Amino acid sequence: MAATILIVEDEPAIQELISYNLRNNGFIVACAGSAEQAKIMVNDVLPDLILLDWMLPGTNGIDFARYLRQGARTKVIPIIMLTARVDESDKVSGLEVGADDYVIKPFSPRELVARIKAVLRRRLPEASDEIVETGGLKLDPATHRVTVTDRADKSKLIEVNLGPTEFRLLHYLMTHTERVHTRGQLLDRVWGDHVFVEDRTVDVHIRRLRRALEDVGKDDLIQTVRGAGYRFSYQCEVDIP
Amino acid sequence: MAATILIVEDEPAIQELISYNLRNNGFIVACAGSAEQAKIMVNDVLPDLILLDWMLPGTNGIDFARYLRQGARTKVIPIIMLTARVDESDKVSGLEVGADDYVIKPFSPRELVARIKAVLRRRLPEASDEIVETGGLKLDPATHRVTVTDRADKSKLIEVNLGPTEFRLLHYLMTHTERVHTRGQLLDRVWGDHVFVEDRTVDVHIRRLRRALEDVGKDDLIQTVRGAGYRFSYQCEVDIP
DNA sequence: TGTATTTGTCACAATGTTGTAATGTTAGCT
DNA sequence: AGCTAACATTACAACATTGTGACAAATACA
């Protein structure tokens, strides 16, 4: 997760309060004291969400939100408005400029965090739900199930039990078959970009995945390419006599 | 489940007519006389479905529908268009902006209700109050009852006693089976997205639901998917020894 | 008003998962 | 064959996630 949140708030006390709470909840926080400062920071920080005070000195919150909605890069960033007023007309303007939610001061830190999480959740693309089917294996991200579909007795699907990492690893391999992936590439794509993990760890997870697939006789789908990495392949191996 | 319907219609007579009929059919009704008013109400009321007049003063129906489809929160709300015209080009625009159905004026109240129910059934199964029956469990939203229907002795129904939240949770799960739901998704859909509770609270309610189902031997319908969430499934898991 | 039910949260237990290191195997080379 | 680097396998402790019972606050109900 570790989403980055930009707080645009002129009052230092509130800024500090929010900042503290968000950090405590695992967010990365950046602060701006004015819309002008925020304009600069947005392009530096590229936040995943912006907490925006309604009333700001200089450019006010609404104008800044409108500005954000114009930039190609910034218009996709969700905005949560912080407001002391509960005016109907405020709600309208807020929603019109594309605020995703608004929180009325005073608010509890927990409420704020909950709303942030809710907004982030809605923004995230429903991580490709498509069923992948290769080499007699079927992986369904929606139900989080891996089943064997090969044998004649199609009525009885056998389920393969995998841990979270093995599941992601298999998903990645099944959506990128017939290609060799170095350990580094797998770490980047399956574990995440900036994770510090030993290359050798991949071996272990490949092993775990293979063991799970052994039970259903599908472990030969994952092949080792010496000196390069691993490959998921349905093609028969060609032996030279 | 007493779905909430927002009527957006400028003519008071028609508004009243529809409103009266929907209330009679057990719906909760909110009314707006213009798109502008509706914009505000949508976020307050969070309706399960919107009945939208094609021709409105100010912002017209299509533009409003388009606006709704932009909001992350509102884009999932089903829309039924009300129109006096039967123009082909109208149909097209209606479908383009994502209307789920359209009703041509004048319409019979019965037809309108039928269409609403049809759309709800398709888009929001848990909001329609049809009886759900899955995996040997029968849940009746109208009478608020859950019974076991499995065993041969069909004359003797056993009732499962659930608290309100457990009931809603089970209802949601039973109308969305086989799919993994994260705690966050369950909070959004079962608790409502303006409610703020800890993620882990879901665990506790799952536990309560399971305990209630234990009594009738149905607790294995609710499965934990580690690192992902929970799933309601009547498919037997086949593990390899 | 008192009583029962429901609800959200917490603390701790139980369980599963993960990364690493140590050790065993294999493939490719001379 | 012997050597070596690359890979496989295993074990394990640290870590994360989930299960569970208890509790107090909120709520409904009589």
Side-chain angles (χ1 to χ4, degrees), chain B residues 79-148:
Chain B
I79 298 174
I80 296 181
M81 287 281 199
L82 299 175
T83 171
R85 297 150 63 187
V86 217
D87 210 309
E88 275 300 290
S89 67
D90 278 5
K91 269 195 204 173
V92 177
S93 346
L95 296 173
E96 257 172 11
V97 294
D100 290 76
D101 202 352
Y102 53 92
V103 178
I104 296 158
K105 295 193 217 175
F107 48 82
S108 78
R110 192 185 319 187
E111 177 188 350
L112 182 63
V113 170
R115 285 194 190 250
I116 288 174
K117 285 191 174 169
V119 168
L120 283 180
R121 202 157 45 231
R122 196 167 63 238
R123 293 278 304 267
L124 276 175
E126 77 273 21
S128 99
D129 57 359
E130 292 185 341
I131 292 178
V132 196
E133 204 160 355
T134 322
L137 277 183
K138 188 162 99 176
L139 182 148
D140 185 344
T143 65
H144 220 264
R145 277 202 162 142
V146 180
T147 46
V148 189

Side-chain angles (χ1 to χ4, degrees), chain B residues 3 47 52 63 84-85 94 96 99-100 102 109 139 186 204 206 218 228-229 233:
Chain B
L52 179 56
D63 287 341
R85 297 150 63 187
E96 257 172 11
D100 290 76
Y102 53 92
L139 182 148
L186 289 173
V204 178
I206 287 280
K218 289 291 176 188
S233 170

Side-chain angles (χ1 to χ4, degrees), chain B residues 2-198:
Chain B
T4 303
I5 300 188
L6 175 63
I7 305 171
V8 189
E9 164 69 60
D10 58 313
E11 239 183 284
I14 298 180
Q15 197 184 92
E16 189 48 44
L17 172 74
I18 299 176
S19 170
Y20 172 80
N21 275 290
L22 295 192
R23 269 188 246 272
N24 263 357
N25 278 274
F27 294 105
I28 297 163
V29 179
C31 292
S34 68
E36 286 70 23
Q37 199 189 340
K39 275 188 196 178
I40 302 167
M41 296 190 66
V42 160
N43 281 284
D44 268 357
V45 177
L46 286 178
D48 298 304
L49 185 145
I50 295 176
L51 271 184
L52 179 56
D53 192 357
W54 203 251
M55 301 301 285
L56 286 171
T59 312
N60 70 33
I62 297 203
D63 287 341
F64 181 55
R66 196 171 284 127
Y67 162 83
L68 287 174
R69 287 295 176 250
Q70 277 167 9
R73 175 184 264 154
T74 57
K75 78 172 144 205
V76 296
I77 302 174
I79 298 174
I80 296 181
M81 287 281 199
L82 299 175
T83 171
R85 297 150 63 187
V86 217
D87 210 309
E88 275 300 290
S89 67
D90 278 5
K91 269 195 204 173
V92 177
S93 346
L95 296 173
E96 257 172 11
V97 294
D100 290 76
D101 202 352
Y102 53 92
V103 178
I104 296 158
K105 295 193 217 175
F107 48 82
S108 78
R110 192 185 319 187
E111 177 188 350
L112 182 63
V113 170
R115 285 194 190 250
I116 288 174
K117 285 191 174 169
V119 168
L120 283 180
R121 202 157 45 231
R122 196 167 63 238
R123 293 278 304 267
L124 276 175
E126 77 273 21
S128 99
D129 57 359
E130 292 185 341
I131 292 178
V132 196
E133 204 160 355
T134 322
L137 277 183
K138 188 162 99 176
L139 182 148
D140 185 344
T143 65
H144 220 264
R145 277 202 162 142
V146 180
T147 46
V148 189
T149 60
D150 205 15
R151 293 274 170 250
D153 184 8
K154 291 188 179 177
S155 59
K156 204 168 73 179
L157 289 184
I158 307 173
E159 180 157 357
V160 183
N161 216 335
L162 296 176
T165 306
E166 279 78 55
F167 185 86
R168 263 177 294 135
L169 178 57
L170 180 59
H171 190 193
Y172 181 77
L173 290 174
M174 284 181 72
T175 47
H176 301 84
T177 64
E178 295 305 325
R179 195 181 178 83
V180 178
H181 309 280
T182 66
R183 293 174 175 74
Q185 284 166 349
L186 289 173
L187 285 178
D188 280 353
R189 319 294 266 284
V190 177
W191 272 254
D193 65 358
H194 54 288
V195 179
F196 307 103
V197 293
E198 295 286 323

Side-chain angles (χ1 to χ4, degrees), chain A residues 15-147:
Chain A
Q15 197 183 93
E16 189 48 44
L17 172 75
I18 299 176
S19 171
Y20 172 80
N21 275 290
L22 295 191
R23 268 186 247 272
N24 263 357
N25 278 276
F27 295 105
I28 298 161
V29 179
C31 291
S34 68
E36 286 69 24
Q37 198 189 340
K39 275 188 196 180
I40 302 167
M41 296 187 67
V42 160
N43 285 289
D44 259 3
V45 179
L46 282 180
D48 298 300
L49 184 145
I50 296 175
L51 272 183
L52 180 55
D53 192 356
W54 205 250
M55 303 299 288
L56 287 171
T59 312
N60 70 32
I62 297 202
D63 288 341
F64 181 56
R66 196 169 284 127
Y67 162 83
L68 287 174
R69 287 294 175 253
Q70 280 165 7
R73 216 162 174 189
T74 56
K75 79 172 143 207
V76 296
I77 303 174
I79 298 172
I80 293 181
M81 286 280 196
L82 298 176
T83 171
R85 296 150 62 186
V86 214
D87 212 310
E88 281 296 279
S89 67
D90 277 7
K91 272 194 197 174
V92 179
S93 349
L95 295 171
E96 256 171 9
V97 295
D100 290 75
D101 205 348
Y102 50 90
V103 178
I104 296 159
K105 295 191 217 173
F107 48 81
S108 77
R110 175 144 42 176
E111 177 186 349
L112 183 63
V113 170
R115 286 198 191 246
I116 289 174
K117 284 187 179 168
V119 168
L120 286 177
R121 198 156 55 228
R122 278 193 287 272
R123 276 289 164 137
L124 285 177
E126 291 282 325
S128 68
D129 267 7
E130 280 181 32
I131 294 178
V132 197
E133 203 161 357
T134 324
L137 274 184
K138 187 165 96 174
L139 183 148
D140 185 342
T143 65
H144 219 268
R145 279 191 148 129
V146 180
T147 46

